[in-house]
Amino acid sequence: MKKSKILAAVLAVMMLSTIALTGCGQKAAENTKTPKVLNLLEGGVKTLDSAKATDQASFDIIQNTMETLTVLNNDENVPGAAEKWESSADGIEWTFHLRKLNWSDGKPLTAKDFEYAWKRILNPDTKASYAGFLYILKNGQKYNTGKCSADEVGIKAVDDQTLKITLEKPTPYFFQITSFALLAPQRQDIVEAVGEKYGALTKESLSKMVFCGPFTVQDDSINTKLTLVKNPKYYNADNIKVDKVVLQDIKEIKTRYQMFTNKQLDAMGGRGEYLKLLKQGAEQKKWKFEQDVSPSAYYMQYNCSGKYAENTKILQSPKVRLALTIAIDRDGYINQILKRGFVAYGLIPDKILVNDKKYRDNVQEPLKAVMNQDPKQLFIEGLKDLGLDPNPAKYKLHFLPQGDSADERQQVEFFINNWKQKIGIGEIVIDSSASFDDFLTKIDQQKFDITLAGWGADYSDPYTFVELFKSTNGNNYGKYNNPEYDKLVEKLDVEVDTQKRMELTKQAEELLIVKDAAIGPVYYADRRTFIHNHVKGLQYPSFGGTYQLRYVSIEGK
Amino acid sequence: MGKYILKRASYMIFTMFIIVTATFFLMNAMPGDPISQQARKMPPELQKMIRHKYGLDRPIAERWLMYLKQLLHGNFGDSFVTPGFSVNEIIKYKMPASAWIGIQAVILGLLIGIILGIIAAFRRNTTVDYIVIFIAILGVSVPGFVIAFLLQTTLGGKGSIPIAGWKASTDTFAQGFKYTILPTIALCFGSIATYARYMRTSVLDVINQDYILTAQAKGISKGAVAVKHVIRNAIIPIITILGPQIAMIITGTLVIERIFAIPGMGSSMIEAINTNDYNVILGLTIFFSFLYIVSLLLVDITYCLVDPRISLTKKKK
Amino acid sequence: METVDKSKFRIIGIDENEAESIVRPNLTYWQDAWRRLKQNKVAIFSLFLLILLVIFCIIGPYMGPDYKLQDMSVRNQKPNAAHWFGTDILGRDLFTRLWVGGRVSLSIGFVGTIIEVIIGCIYGGISGYFGGTVDDVMMRIVEILNSIPYMIVVIILSVILKPGIFSLLLALCITGWTGMARMVRGQVMQLKESEYILAAKALGSDSNRIIFKHLIPNTIGIIIVYTTFDIPSFIFAEAFLSFIGLGIQPPKTSWGALCSYGQQYMDFYPHQLLFPALAICITMLAFNLLGDGLRDALDPKLRQ
């Protein structure tokens, strides 16, 4: 009896202290004028050093705290640090004229800061993973691999406001990537003073950071909870409408949903069953719903080398591969199992541009024309071509899923069921990978028959997808090898004319997906976001970081 | 006792050396290296260059010696994956949140668990006993995420208890406390069950001992028997599990930290292993095993203090 | 002092033949344990429940549609007449899946625990009984085993080994027994100082006899509690290990895997989590209550 009293007392004390504490918190908030605060989600941020960042979350913070040459507004490049620019007729030489900008410590931003930052990425001592991105600069690759000096690289600050860039060869997507957070300016004096710790999310390093974008990072931030505050020194500070943005890393969708409905979060993405629930809320006008294609494609990667397990030889036949591609019930998968994404019959997603024209608006998805074929018939024909027993039931294939999550495995069971029912393949075994690195090792060594692979575009041009399947590309895990395709890719690499690029890409896509069926498109990724009504103008750029916070405002919360 | 602790401490150095060595070689046997995941977007020559710069292309034995040398200077090295972060900083930034919640959960769990266990044992085979057993079984077999989620839906957001999240580093202890309420309850739920069950069994064992009968026969009051004889003797098995459990719980639990978005250590190790962040794996292993071994030592010392019959040094009385 | 009248007593005589006979039937340790277990109604009910679960695991899979059959027209259904426990996201019958999963989970739970108990008891018993240097060395080995990150060991195992029950058991037991070993050691250290051990030693019993006849039976209570707690952790760990490629691969399933699948949808289709979780709970409950009964029955101190 006595003990249960103690227990009750302990619990009561806990409850009381909670109430008392929360009471205090509320009073404090009432006294000051409420600043406009936006609460958003962001994954764990690794670094604020643009040269060393590799993940979306880090790029997100950088793009909102630093001013790149151009910035994105509704996925269009508009003037940022550069006021105006011009390029030579062959597209090799670019000149950017910078506006008068200041860093958050009051010092002026100059063209030198860009030159320093870009060369730092290419400097071999920086060990930047994204250095390959700047191989488009003249001598970029040579400098990075130690074959020439920094002075020979094609970027030069002519004076404080003028930046001159020389490319290795005409690169249609160069202008687009000038808004990429990787290419943000850096202050040589600060980077060198802080040294290895530059950009780390520790209190020490943060207090030494300087910013030139619309927000600065508060120095009590940690990698899972960052606070951005409006930068009063920003040239366009008058048009920045929120005072504070809190970005938190919340992994569980259940928790996100709870917080979103309690208005502790201003926006969240929807997937699975929550998508349905959130959509209902949007229909009742509780919040807004936005959806958009995001430039990533997911496809079945077949092991064309046919050198893995017992029956893999059959995958050498394009007909067998095409049969597998056709047999996938994409609508069922997208609408009932995955509940996100958009059905794909091609490799290039909707968003991707060829110069200024949308590729998909001009070229039909290649797989659509052959979807009416009977996969079983095709499969049997393929077997006969190889001189094998034409009974599909006699064959066994292995599927290698990428992750080890429960839902991923369930999804694989769906595909397997498709292939078993529509083609009658005897057995399809689900292999496993012990970790993501194990998966990469396995596909790299062709220890798989089929796997669901994905690729996110690095920039808006079909080339980022098409080059993946060149026979020499490191990401060509299926060892697809067709000289005809390689030739198309090589031509595409140097072609500048919009119409001709369009035509070459069309031929390559057709060859890859239908004629050779080296891959089987399944879906394009999507962005489905729910935003509270009081938030206006929150943009989700298709490339780079998650949010564009330059145009967001909070009204009538 | 002092000599014994000294002996154990010298064992500890040797044990840690074996742990570090074994982990080092096992870790290198895992597929991939710190660069391999980012390497997908790198041209091959760049991959080669970065590996060379980090010394990853050297023979494994050489790298092992290099690491040991570095350790002797008291340096755990830097993270490969999170630029500019040293292993020390990772521990410094992530440890406090895990430890805070962990310690609260251990205290609360121990308190409630032991009390429940004693009540159940003294009222053996009554309804009270069955209720306690039932709660205990629920506590162990209902997965932590279910309890955490139920807490979020029922208590979260009410009376401004946050659903998830953590205090800002400038907040005071009192301001931060509200963030710890739900995770603490969720975390201690499972351990309440464990402690209660062990305590019950152990108390039952002790009750049947002759010395309890003797004590009762001497006319000592029921309460005094319970406190002086029963509990003191029954608590030993709890101590055995408590040591490693404290080490485990204050170094963070993945599930609870994920659900409540707590910036703790729980995910650090998993993340490091998934990305092959070698220095972080080794540093955290050293840190965890140090805590673990020390907690075991404490358990052994507590044994003697609680139970006079146990002697650790094999001296004959 | 009260006096008793002698006339109240009467001589009934003595049968010389019965003087040597033993009234109480001569029972072995195990016969006696079984006799006492039978008297414990709760324990017998639990035993019955466990047997029922096992029977269902054997015949259950034949009582409904094939557990592998995907039917997209009946996805995520609530329990109904056609699908007693509802269906999952791929339209598979959860009743038959539950029992197919039970086969795997129960056998892993049993076998894993038995291995753990055997290794843990022997190791802990020896370490605790001999103490000194033996104890020091053996406990350092435990510390090393527990300190090497488990994930690394498991990843390497799954790269080296082929999926299957053997790999799974190996991964489960590779460090699992250490907790039991420490527990037994602690108990043995405490018990070995007691009077009856001293008596046994004085009578010239060897170490083997003392460990297995005296020390282990006297720690049985704690061992049983530890064991019953370990069964669900085996069941959950099995799911995790299967996901990274050790053990049971789809379309086969297990309770742990069913729980992981159900967890994702628990606020939309709670039945997908409820039934496998319930199955684990019932198994646990039965094991615990039976364990309590067994503990009472096997404890030599409670023998009358």
Side-chain angles (χ1 to χ4, degrees):
Chain A
M1 262 309 119
K2 210 168 131 198
K3 269 153 203 144
S4 54
K5 267 185 197 157
I6 297 172
L7 175 64
V10 168
L11 286 174
V13 169
M14 270 192 66
M15 300 268 181
L16 280 175
S17 52
T18 325
I19 294 163
L21 289 169
T22 48
C24 297
Q26 274 169 347
K27 259 177 218 152
E30 277 163 17
N31 287 338
T32 48
K33 188 179 157 268
T34 46
K36 299 210 163 174
V37 184
L38 195 62
N39 288 292
L40 296 172
L41 291 165
E42 188 53 87
V45 177
K46 295 221 159 75
T47 180
L48 299 182
D49 181 351
S50 46
K52 289 184 180 168
T54 50
D55 58 306
Q56 193 185 353
S58 303
F59 283 136
D60 183 33
I61 306 301
I62 297 164
Q63 98 183 356
N64 287 300
T65 54
M66 297 289 181
E67 197 75 354
T68 37
L69 288 173
T70 61
V71 295
L72 289 177
N73 184 7
N74 286 323
D75 277 350
E76 232 172 88
N77 292 69
V78 299
E83 227 167 355
K84 53 187 192 300
W85 49 82
E86 64 258 356
S87 67
S88 63
D90 56 2
I92 284 187
E93 295 212 346
W94 290 77
T95 313
F96 290 87
H97 303 280
L98 308 191
R99 67 174 91 234
K100 295 242 182 266
L101 280 171
N102 285 323
W103 290 91
S104 51
D105 64 351
K107 291 202 176 148
L109 177 113
T110 67
K112 276 243 174 304
D113 297 330
F114 280 97
E115 188 189 332
Y116 173 71
W118 290 28
K119 282 186 177 166
R120 185 163 168 259
I121 296 169
L122 286 170
N123 185 341
D125 292 330
T126 312
K127 296 174 275 204
S129 309
Y130 260 72
F133 221 80
L134 276 182
Y135 284 8
I136 53 172
L137 289 189
K138 190 176 173 213
N139 291 328
Q141 180 165 7
K142 273 192 181 167
Y143 174 44
N144 188 230
T145 46
K147 288 180 193 125
C148 78
S149 74
D151 298 333
E152 291 167 65
V153 178
I155 176 166
K156 182 123 195 74
V158 179
D159 56 46
D160 277 358
Q161 308 306 130
T162 319
L163 186 69
K164 202 165 174 188
I165 288 158
T166 316
L167 302 180
E168 188 79 40
K169 60 181 181 216
T171 312
Y173 56 83
F174 167 70
F175 178 61
Q176 282 175 26
I177 65 166
T178 54
S179 66
F180 188 23
L182 173 78
L183 304 179
Q186 291 189 329
R187 273 265 295 280
Q188 186 167 4
D189 56 330
I190 306 270
V191 175
E192 281 170 3
V194 185
E196 277 295 309
K197 302 259 169 230
Y198 177 77
L201 278 148
T202 60
K203 203 167 181 167
E204 235 189 319
S205 304
L206 279 175
S207 59
K208 291 177 191 152
M209 272 303 269
V210 287
F211 304 93
C212 59
F215 296 93
T216 61
V217 181
Q218 204 165 292
D219 62 9
D220 65 355
S221 297
I222 48 172
N223 73 335
T224 50
K225 188 177 183 181
L226 288 98
T227 312
L228 305 185
V229 287
K230 191 173 156 176
N231 178 5
K233 298 257 167 52
Y234 182 58
Y235 81 96
N236 200 11
D238 291 347
N239 288 318
I240 302 301
K241 303 272 174 46
V242 292
D243 302 302
K244 221 182 200 186
V245 184
V246 179
L247 294 139
Q248 284 188 83
D249 182 18
I250 290 152
K251 297 221 166 65
E252 292 292 318
I253 190 165
K254 291 181 186 77
T255 315
R256 290 178 183 183
Y257 179 74
Q258 288 284 323
M259 293 180 75
F260 181 71
T261 48
N262 278 295
K263 297 205 174 171
Q264 293 178 13
L265 271 180
D266 287 316
M268 74 175 282
R271 62 180 145 90
E273 300 298 326
Y274 282 93
L275 187 63
K276 209 158 69 185
L277 213 60
L278 285 160
K279 271 184 179 168
Q280 282 169 7
E283 275 161 27
Q284 295 159 13
K285 304 269 182 243
K286 283 199 229 162
W287 45 71
K288 294 176 285 188
F289 172 48
E290 280 179 10
Q291 70 173 356
D292 204 351
V293 187
S294 79
S296 304
Y298 288 82
Y299 44 84
M300 290 295 166
Q301 174 101 59
Y302 305 118
N303 185 354
C304 307
S305 77
K307 280 181 202 144
Y308 174 44
E310 45 284 87
N311 299 133
T312 315
K313 198 170 172 253
I314 60 171
L315 283 177
Q316 288 173 352
S317 156
K319 280 182 185 164
V320 164
R321 299 193 298 250
L322 187 61
L324 291 168
T325 304
I326 291 172
I328 297 166
D329 173 11
R330 289 174 180 74
D331 285 312
Y333 179 66
I334 295 302
N335 299 327
Q336 298 185 305
I337 309 293
L338 191 64
K339 296 196 166 133
R340 67 181 308 179
F342 297 95
V343 172
Y345 294 99
L347 176 64
I348 319 288
D350 210 10
K351 282 264 154 129
I352 301 295
L353 303 172
V354 175
N355 293 333
D356 51 352
K357 279 189 185 158
K358 269 194 184 170
Y359 173 75
R360 241 352 8 135
D361 287 355
N362 295 283
V363 180
Q364 213 210 359
E365 293 177 296
L367 206 55
K368 276 192 176 152
V370 291
M371 281 306 284
N372 54 0
Q373 292 191 29
D374 178 14
K376 190 168 184 175
Q377 211 50 47
L378 208 56
F379 196 88
I380 293 170
E381 276 173 39
L383 292 175
K384 281 181 186 158
D385 287 352
L386 288 170
L388 295 168
D389 187 334
N391 180 5
K394 291 205 168 150
Y395 296 95
K396 179 176 167 187
L397 289 173
H398 293 256
F399 193 104
L400 182 69
Q402 198 175 100
D404 51 26
S405 72
D407 52 340
E408 207 167 319
R409 311 203 106 212
Q410 250 172 351
Q411 290 162 16
V412 173
E413 288 187 67
F414 177 81
F415 293 130
I416 289 176
N417 196 50
N418 284 167
W419 290 323
K420 277 192 174 170
Q421 280 189 346
K422 292 191 189 161
I423 302 175
I425 299 175
E427 199 186 344
I428 300 162
V429 184
I430 302 182
D431 285 353
S432 308
S433 35
S435 62
F436 186 56
D437 270 298
D438 188 31
F439 171 76
L440 290 179
T441 312
K442 278 182 174 148
I443 55 173
D444 207 33
Q445 299 169 351
Q446 281 75 53
K447 284 183 178 163
F448 73 101
D449 286 343
I450 310 170
T451 183
L452 183 63
W455 188 259
D458 290 324
Y459 44 83
S460 187
D461 190 280
Y463 189 71
T464 178
F465 289 102
V466 172
E467 72 160 343
L468 290 176
F469 306 99
K470 204 177 157 187
S471 58
T472 52
N473 192 295
N475 285 296
N476 180 6
Y477 297 116
K479 289 281 163 249
Y480 168 60
N481 188 349
N482 185 344
E484 199 187 329
Y485 186 84
D486 288 359
K487 233 175 253 162
L488 283 171
V489 178
E490 275 156 28
K491 272 191 208 162
L492 202 54
D493 191 18
V494 288
E495 182 59 66
V496 225
D497 180 68
T498 309
Q499 210 45 50
K500 280 184 189 154
R501 280 187 79 82
M502 204 81 97
E503 185 52 38
L504 285 169
T505 312
K506 185 185 168 185
Q507 286 174 21
E509 203 186 16
E510 175 94 22
L511 186 63
L512 179 73
I513 291 170
V514 181
K515 268 208 207 109
D516 286 345
I519 58 162
V522 181
Y523 69 99
Y524 304 123
D526 66 350
R527 174 176 72 76
R528 295 188 179 175
T529 32
F530 297 86
I531 304 170
H532 275 300
N533 293 322
H534 58 262
V535 180
K536 307 268 192 275
L538 180 63
Q539 292 185 13
Y540 291 79
S542 300
F543 298 92
T546 323
Y547 307 102
Q548 172 58 282
L549 300 171
R550 283 174 173 80
Y551 312 103
V552 69
S553 62
I554 295 172
E555 284 159 31
K557 188 182 179 177
Chain B
M1 184 58 82
K3 208 174 156 195
Y4 174 74
I5 294 173
L6 208 70
K7 192 175 93 185
R8 281 288 289 265
S10 59
Y11 280 151
M12 194 157 94
I13 295 169
F14 181 67
T15 318
M16 298 279 272
F17 173 74
I18 295 183
I19 292 168
V20 171
T21 308
T23 310
F24 186 89
F25 285 96
L26 284 174
M27 172 183 86
N28 275 285
M30 286 197 302
D33 67 19
I35 312 300
S36 51
Q37 285 181 28
Q38 289 158 27
R40 286 178 53 157
K41 299 235 170 186
M42 283 185 215
E45 57 271 30
L46 181 59
Q47 286 178 33
K48 226 175 131 189
M49 187 205 81
I50 291 186
R51 287 210 168 91
H52 181 72
K53 291 255 166 201
Y54 280 117
L56 289 166
D57 52 355
R58 300 203 194 156
I60 182 162
E62 195 185 324
R63 283 191 284 133
W64 178 60
L65 287 175
M66 271 164 56
Y67 185 78
L68 287 183
K69 222 168 156 188
Q70 188 189 316
L71 264 189
L72 284 179
H73 290 106
N75 181 5
F76 285 123
D78 292 334
S79 164
F80 286 97
V81 179
T82 318
F85 256 87
S86 68
V87 176
N88 296 340
E89 275 165 334
I90 289 177
I91 294 172
K92 191 179 114 196
Y93 275 82
K94 301 259 168 150
M95 182 69 197
S98 298
W100 185 353
I101 291 179
I103 290 169
Q104 268 179 214
V106 169
I107 294 173
L108 192 67
L110 207 56
L111 213 68
I112 301 177
I114 288 184
I115 291 169
L116 283 181
I118 293 169
I119 294 174
F122 278 113
R123 320 228 155 189
R124 190 169 176 213
N125 292 335
T126 62
T127 329
V128 183
D129 184 23
Y130 287 124
I131 290 173
V132 172
I133 294 183
F134 189 71
I135 294 174
I137 290 162
L138 271 187
V140 183
S141 49
V142 176
F145 58 83
V146 175
I147 291 164
F149 180 61
L150 286 178
L151 281 172
Q152 283 186 333
T153 29
T154 50
L155 293 177
K158 314 253 154 57
S160 81
I161 296 179
I163 295 162
W166 195 249
K167 71 184 186 86
S169 59
T170 46
D171 283 354
T172 60
F173 178 84
Q175 281 168 321
F177 178 72
K178 63 179 177 186
Y179 290 101
T180 67
I181 297 169
L182 297 187
T184 303
I185 300 175
L187 193 56
C188 78
F189 205 86
S191 49
I192 288 181
T194 320
Y195 299 140
R197 283 285 287 157
Y198 279 115
M199 200 60 199
R200 177 180 177 275
T201 315
S202 190
V203 167
L204 285 181
D205 263 345
V206 174
I207 287 179
N208 293 316
Q209 298 281 355
D210 295 337
Y211 54 81
I212 302 296
L213 199 67
T214 316
Q216 279 167 345
K218 281 197 288 186
I220 300 173
S221 77
K222 233 182 164 183
V225 171
V227 175
K228 277 202 182 140
H229 296 277
V230 179
I231 295 176
R232 192 170 167 194
N233 282 297
I235 216 150
I236 288 170
I238 300 267
I239 295 173
T240 320
I241 51 166
L242 190 63
Q245 230 184 3
I246 289 182
M248 203 177 69
I249 230 168
I250 61 175
T251 49
T253 359
L254 179 66
V255 180
I256 299 293
E257 285 176 12
R258 246 184 91 102
I259 293 176
F260 292 103
I262 295 161
M265 296 214 70
S267 53
S268 304
M269 181 62 113
I270 308 271
E271 228 175 79
I273 292 175
N274 283 337
T275 51
N276 282 313
D277 201 344
Y278 290 163
N279 283 338
V280 179
I281 296 179
L282 287 170
L284 291 182
T285 303
I286 293 171
F287 179 70
F288 289 161
S289 49
F290 178 78
L291 271 185
Y292 175 72
I293 293 173
V294 168
S295 73
L296 291 189
L297 175 61
L298 288 179
V299 166
D300 281 348
I301 293 171
T302 330
Y303 268 167
C304 322
L305 297 182
V306 178
D307 190 339
R309 285 173 304 181
I310 297 175
S311 66
L312 286 163
T313 34
K314 229 197 158 184
K315 247 182 275 152
K316 287 287 156 207
K317 299 149 251 181
Chain C
M1 251 273 164
E2 211 177 323
T3 51
V4 180
D5 190 358
K6 239 183 182 175
S7 65
K8 283 186 178 167
F9 292 92
R10 164 170 76 87
I11 297 170
I12 56 162
I14 179 167
D15 186 347
E16 299 279 340
N17 299 327
E18 277 181 20
E20 293 299 308
S21 78
I22 297 162
V23 179
R24 194 178 179 211
N26 192 3
L27 293 172
T28 64
Y29 175 63
W30 294 106
Q31 280 172 330
D32 183 52
W34 173 236
R35 184 183 63 84
R36 281 190 283 158
L37 185 67
K38 271 194 297 193
Q39 286 166 356
N40 188 336
K41 289 204 185 64
V42 181
I44 289 299
F45 177 71
S46 306
L47 188 64
F48 170 74
L49 214 59
L50 280 178
I51 293 172
L52 201 69
L53 275 174
V54 172
I55 291 175
F56 262 105
C57 285
I58 296 167
I59 60 163
Y62 306 106
M63 292 169 69
D66 181 15
Y67 74 97
K68 287 178 292 203
L69 184 76
Q70 297 181 18
D71 183 352
M72 296 308 278
S73 60
V74 292
R75 302 168 54 252
N76 292 325
Q77 286 205 340
K78 289 212 167 68
N80 56 42
H83 302 283
W84 294 344
F85 288 175
T87 56
D88 70 1
I89 187 169
L90 296 170
R92 292 177 296 196
D93 184 75
L94 281 174
F95 181 80
T96 46
R97 284 183 78 72
L98 184 72
W99 301 121
V100 170
R103 290 177 180 180
V104 174
S105 288
L106 284 180
S107 39
I108 295 286
F110 284 137
V111 179
T113 316
I114 289 170
I115 296 176
E116 183 194 281
V117 169
I118 292 173
I119 301 178
C121 278
I122 295 175
Y123 198 96
I126 293 173
S127 177
Y129 180 74
F130 290 105
T133 320
V134 178
D135 180 48
D136 276 338
V137 172
M138 289 177 91
M139 283 301 116
R140 296 303 84 73
I141 295 174
V142 167
E143 282 167 11
I144 292 168
L145 272 178
N146 270 329
S147 294
I148 297 169
Y150 184 58
M151 272 282 283
I152 295 185
V153 177
V154 167
I155 287 175
I156 291 174
L157 280 180
S158 76
V159 172
I160 301 170
L161 301 172
K162 288 242 172 306
I165 220 95
F166 171 75
S167 328
L168 185 63
L169 282 173
L170 185 66
L172 281 173
C173 295
I174 201 156
T175 56
W177 57 270
T178 54
M180 173 70 81
R182 282 194 55 79
M183 182 66 83
V184 172
R185 168 186 174 260
Q187 288 283 299
V188 168
M189 270 169 55
Q190 187 188 10
L191 287 172
K192 75 172 176 188
E193 307 288 335
S194 59
E195 290 79 5
Y196 57 85
I197 303 295
L198 193 67
K201 271 186 189 159
L203 289 171
S205 309
D206 61 0
S207 301
N208 269 337
R209 194 182 158 83
I210 293 174
I211 292 178
F212 291 104
K213 284 276 169 184
H214 297 286
L215 297 179
I216 303 271
N218 276 298
T219 47
I220 209 103
I222 289 289
I223 293 175
I224 284 171
V225 174
Y226 198 90
T227 313
T228 45
F229 276 152
D230 254 22
I231 289 174
S233 61
F234 271 113
I235 292 175
F236 286 123
E238 177 274 320
F240 162 72
L241 292 173
S242 294
F243 285 159
I244 68 165
L246 289 163
I248 312 307
Q249 298 302 312
K252 286 215 185 75
T253 189
S254 67
W255 285 348
L258 285 172
C259 274
S260 306
Y261 293 136
Q263 180 217 335
Q264 307 166 74
Y265 310 110
M266 78 180 171
D267 30 346
F268 298 94
Y269 312 111
H271 67 271
Q272 292 182 4
L273 175 64
L274 181 70
F275 289 110
L278 209 61
I280 296 176
C281 277
I282 291 176
T283 313
M284 278 286 296
L285 195 71
F287 265 115
N288 273 277
L289 296 175
L290 180 64
D292 265 1
L294 275 178
R295 172 190 167 281
D296 293 353
L298 295 177
D299 192 341
K301 289 192 290 276
L302 296 179
R303 198 171 172 182
Q304 284 131 11

